[in-house]
Amino acid sequence: MTSSDAKRPAAVNHVLARDTSSSPNGAGHDADGFADNLTTATSTRNLFSPVHPDHDGDLVTTAEDRDLKRGLAQRHLSMLGIAGSIGTGLFLGLGVAVQKGGPLGSLLGYAVIGLIVCSVQFALGETAALLPVTGSFVRHAEFLVDPAWGFAIGWNLVYGNVLSIPSEITAICVLFQFWTDINPSVFIVVFIVITVAVGLAFIRVFGEVEFVFALLKIWLVVFLIVLGLVINLGGVPGTERIGFRYWRDPGPFVEYIAAGDWGKFLGFWAVMTGAVFSFAGVESLAMAAAETKNPRRSIPRACKRVFARIVIFYMLAVFVVGLLVPSNDPRLSGSGDSVAQSPFVIAASAAGIPAIASVVNAIVITSAWSASNQSLLAGTRVLYGLALKGQAPKIFLRTTSWGTPYMCVLFFACFMLLSFMSLSQGAMTVFWWLVSLTAAGVLVSWSSILLNHVRLRQAMKRQNIDVSRLPWYNSWTVYTSPVALFMCIVILFTAGFGVFTEGNWDAATFVSSYLDIPIVLIAYLGYKFYAKTKIISLDDVPLADAFEQAEQQIDEPEGKEPGWIRLVSWIWD
C-alpha cells in the first residue's frame, strides 16, 4: 500500500481497488490523457445513473479521490473568497448604497449583512470540514436535507453561472470602452479564450491567478481607503477638510420611498438587500473541496479568515465613502456599472486626481474576469457533483490527466458565446433578462448553507453524537445559523419591496428579485415527483460513516510560505 493509499479511508480503498482492477490501465485514464470514468461495472447504466455507489455520492467518492487533483492550498481558498466578494459592488456600487441609505444607513446595512455572512461562513466551514466534497453545499443538501433540494439548487447554480460568465465578459467590453473604441468582439474572443484556458488548466493555475487578482484588489482597496481619508482630512493641496460635513447635511440617513422614520428605515433596508450581492462569492471557496489540500483544516481556516478580511474592508470602505460624497450627489445615480459613478472616482476627481478613474477601471476589469473564472470553477464543480449523484449526464465526469473536468468546462464554454449578444441592442435586452432570473440565487445559496448546518446539528443531537467530533466547530453557530437563515428568507422575500409601492413598479426589478424563487421550487417539486424522494429523517442521515471517513483522513504537513509571499501572508493566514 502506498502512502497515498494509507491516507484514504478503508472503505474508499476497497472501492478504489475494485474499480481500478476493472480498468485496463488501473488508473482510470485513457491513452489521450483524459479520464475514463465509465468503468466496466457501470457501462450498462442509463445516462443519468450514478457511477459510484459510495452512499450514492454523498461522501467523498472514489471518482473524486482518483480523478481530481488536490492543487489548492489554504491561501488559495482564502484569497478565492476575497477575490469573489471584492468587485464592482465595492469599487462602483457603494455610491448607490450611500444614495439610498445615507452614510450611517449604508454603514448599518453592510454591518448587518456582514454578520449574516459571518454565520454563513462558519456554517459552511463546519459542514464542509466534515464533508469536503466537490459541489460543496449542493451535495451537503442531498446528504442532510433532500436529494430533490440538492438537485434544485445545483441546477440553479449551474444555470446562474452559465449566464454570469458571458455577463462578466460583456461588462469587460463596456469597461474597455472607457479607453478605446476598438470593436468589442475582439475583447470577447480574447477573454473567452483565456477563460477557457484557465478553466482547463491544472487547478493550481486557477488558484494562483485568483491569488494574484485578490492581492491586486486588496492593495487597491487599502489605497482607496487611505486616499479617501487623506482627501477627507484636507491632505491634498488645494482641497479643504470635509470631516463629517455630509453626515450633518444632508444627514446620516436618507428617506427612501416614504417620509419620516419609516422612509429612513426603508433606506436602510434597501441598502441591506443590495449589500447581499456585494458579498456574493464568499460561498464559492468550498466548491472545489475535493481539489483542496487538507480540506478539513484548510476550508474552516479560510472561512474564518475570509469573513474577517472582507467585513473589515467593506466596513472601512463604506465609512470612507460616506465621508467623501454627499448622499444627494446626482453623479451617484444609476446602476453602479460605470466608473464615473464610483464614489472614489468622484472624490478623487474633485480633488484634482483624475488618473484614479483609470486605475479603478483597470482593477474592475480584472475583477470582472476574476468573477468569470470563479463562476466557471463553481459551475463546473457543481455540474460534476450533480453527475456523481446521477442528476446530470455521466459524460460530465470525464477529467483530464491533470484532474480537470474538461467536459464540464467545454459545456460552459459553449454558453460563453452568448456574450456576442452584447453586439446587438435587442439581443442584449433579452440577455440581461435571462441574467436577472438568477439574481436572487445568492440568498438561495446562503439559505441552503445555513439549512444544511441546522440539519447537521439536529441530526447529531438526535443520534447522540458529541459536537466535539466535528473536525471544526464553534459553540455559538447552533444559535447563529437559525437566526441568519430567518434573516436570509426575510430579505429574499422583501428584496424588491420598492416595486410594490405606488408609482415605482418596474418589471425588470420584479423579475430579478423574485423569479428565481418559483424556478427553484418548480425544480425541487418536479424532481421530487419524478424521483419520489423524501426529506431525509434525522435518524437516517449516515453521520457515522461521515465521521469515520473524516477521522481516518490524515492531513499532510504544511510548509512555510516561500520568499516574498511570507511578507504578506497575514492577509490570508
Side-chain angles (χ1 to χ4, degrees):
M1 179 179 291
T2 65
S3 59
S4 60
D5 291 334
K7 295 173 185 175
R8 296 190 184 103
V12 174
N13 275 320
H14 172 74
V15 180
L16 182 58
R18 181 189 63 204
D19 284 351
T20 54
S21 64
S22 64
S23 177
N25 55 16
H29 296 284
D30 60 26
D32 295 326
F34 291 115
D36 183 6
N37 290 298
L38 310 183
T39 61
T40 303
T42 59
S43 59
T44 59
R45 297 186 182 188
N46 62 56
L47 185 65
F48 287 90
S49 64
V51 173
H52 295 280
D54 315 57
H55 286 287
D56 291 325
D58 287 327
L59 306 180
V60 179
T61 63
T62 304
E64 291 167 278
D65 194 67
R66 179 189 64 204
D67 297 332
L68 302 179
K69 308 300 181 186
R70 296 192 183 276
L72 292 178
Q74 188 254 315
R75 66 180 177 91
H76 294 129
L77 295 188
S78 294
M79 300 303 268
L80 184 64
I82 293 174
S85 58
I86 296 180
T88 56
L90 189 148
F91 296 123
L92 305 183
L94 290 186
V96 177
V98 172
Q99 187 184 49
K100 288 183 177 180
L104 183 54
S106 58
L107 190 64
L108 293 175
Y110 271 84
V112 171
I113 298 302
L115 292 175
I116 294 176
V117 170
C118 175
S119 300
V120 171
Q121 288 293 89
F122 278 68
L124 177 62
E126 288 189 15
T127 310
L130 177 65
L131 301 166
V133 293
T134 300
S136 186
F137 58 89
V138 175
R139 299 259 298 281
H140 300 162
E142 297 167 357
F143 182 79
L144 296 164
V145 184
D146 187 339
W149 181 242
F151 173 88
I153 62 171
W155 277 105
N156 190 57
L157 277 169
V158 170
Y159 169 67
N161 286 308
V162 153
L163 291 176
S164 68
I165 298 173
S167 72
E168 295 293 348
I169 294 175
T170 298
I172 291 171
C173 296
V174 173
L175 292 166
F176 266 108
Q177 291 174 4
F178 181 77
W179 293 315
T180 179
D181 295 328
I182 295 177
N183 192 318
S185 60
V186 174
F187 300 112
I188 292 175
V189 172
V190 169
F191 279 93
I192 285 178
V193 170
I194 59 177
T195 300
V196 172
V198 171
L200 289 173
F202 179 48
I203 188 67
R204 186 181 177 90
V205 173
F206 168 83
E208 297 297 350
V209 168
E210 292 302 298
F211 181 81
V212 172
F213 283 161
L215 281 180
L216 288 174
K217 293 177 186 180
I218 291 171
W219 287 337
L220 180 63
V221 171
V222 173
F223 168 73
L224 291 177
I225 290 173
V226 173
L227 177 64
L229 290 174
V230 170
I231 293 174
N232 178 266
L233 297 173
V236 177
T239 62
E240 61 178 340
R241 183 180 182 276
I242 301 174
F244 284 85
R245 178 188 309 169
Y246 301 134
W247 284 58
R248 294 188 295 271
D249 182 22
F253 292 97
V254 170
E255 295 178 352
Y256 182 66
I257 296 179
D261 291 340
W262 177 240
K264 293 176 181 178
F265 173 79
L266 292 181
F268 153 76
W269 197 264
V271 168
M272 198 159 62
T273 55
V276 168
F277 304 106
S278 295
F279 284 106
V282 294
E283 71 280 357
S284 65
L285 61 84
M287 282 298 182
E291 297 164 88
T292 301
K293 299 176 183 177
N294 305 326
R296 291 183 170 88
R297 180 175 59 195
S298 298
I299 292 175
R301 289 176 64 183
C303 288
K304 182 168 60 175
R305 285 157 176 76
V306 164
F307 156 72
R309 272 65 169 176
I310 289 175
V311 170
I312 289 172
F313 287 138
Y314 263 100
M315 295 304 293
L316 286 175
V318 173
F319 175 71
V320 170
V321 166
L323 296 177
L324 290 176
V325 185
S327 57
N328 57 3
D329 192 315
R331 291 172 293 181
L332 297 176
S333 300
S335 58
D337 56 2
S338 169
V339 174
Q341 292 172 228
S342 170
F344 296 107
V345 173
I346 292 173
S349 299
I353 318 175
I356 294 299
S358 291
V359 175
V360 172
N361 197 60
I363 298 297
V364 171
I365 287 174
T366 67
S367 298
W369 186 46
S370 172
S372 68
N373 287 337
Q374 290 209 28
S375 294
L376 183 61
L377 177 78
T380 53
R381 272 49 180 187
V382 168
L383 185 57
Y384 182 91
L386 289 169
L388 277 175
K389 292 286 294 180
Q391 297 173 344
K394 57 189 177 183
I395 192 174
F396 292 122
L397 290 175
R398 295 187 178 183
T399 60
T400 63
S401 58
W402 54 90
T404 299
Y406 71 94
M407 290 304 299
C408 295
V409 174
L410 295 179
F411 172 80
F412 274 76
C414 294
F415 288 93
M416 293 181 196
L417 300 176
L418 288 174
S419 53
F420 284 103
M421 294 175 69
S422 63
L423 303 178
S424 165
Q425 188 61 43
M428 190 63 180
T429 301
V430 175
F431 174 66
W432 284 117
W433 269 79
L434 292 174
V435 173
S436 69
L437 295 181
T438 55
V442 178
L443 285 165
V444 173
S445 296
W446 289 3
S447 298
S448 184
I449 290 170
L450 293 163
L451 177 61
N452 292 340
H453 181 257
V454 169
R455 292 275 300 177
L456 172 63
R457 286 301 193 94
Q458 288 178 339
M460 290 179 63
K461 184 177 181 180
R462 179 71 64 85
Q463 297 179 29
N464 296 317
I465 299 175
D466 192 81
V467 69
S468 62
R469 290 188 64 189
L470 283 171
W472 185 67
Y473 68 94
N474 300 276
S475 59
W476 63 85
T477 54
V478 69
Y479 308 107
T480 57
S481 288
V483 174
L485 175 60
F486 172 77
M487 287 296 297
C488 282
I489 294 173
V490 171
I491 295 171
L492 177 63
F493 282 97
T494 60
F497 71 88
V499 301
F500 300 110
T501 58
E502 186 176 354
N504 291 305
W505 171 257
D506 181 71
T509 302
F510 176 80
V511 169
S512 64
S513 300
Y514 296 113
L515 197 55
D516 198 51
I517 299 174
I519 287 177
V520 172
L521 289 177
I522 290 172
Y524 171 67
L525 295 174
Y527 188 81
K528 193 171 186 64
F529 175 79
Y530 169 76
K532 296 179 173 57
T533 67
K534 296 181 179 179
I535 295 177
I536 299 171
S537 168
L538 296 177
D539 293 312
D540 295 335
V541 178
L543 289 179
D545 297 312
F547 279 102
E548 180 183 359
Q549 189 179 84
E551 289 162 358
Q552 290 182 10
Q553 180 69 36
I554 300 175
D555 286 343
E556 300 175 7
E558 285 189 349
K560 293 184 178 180
E561 299 291 356
W564 65 271
I565 294 181
R566 196 178 307 174
L567 299 176
V568 293
S569 61
W570 61 270
I571 297 174
W572 63 84
D573 197 0

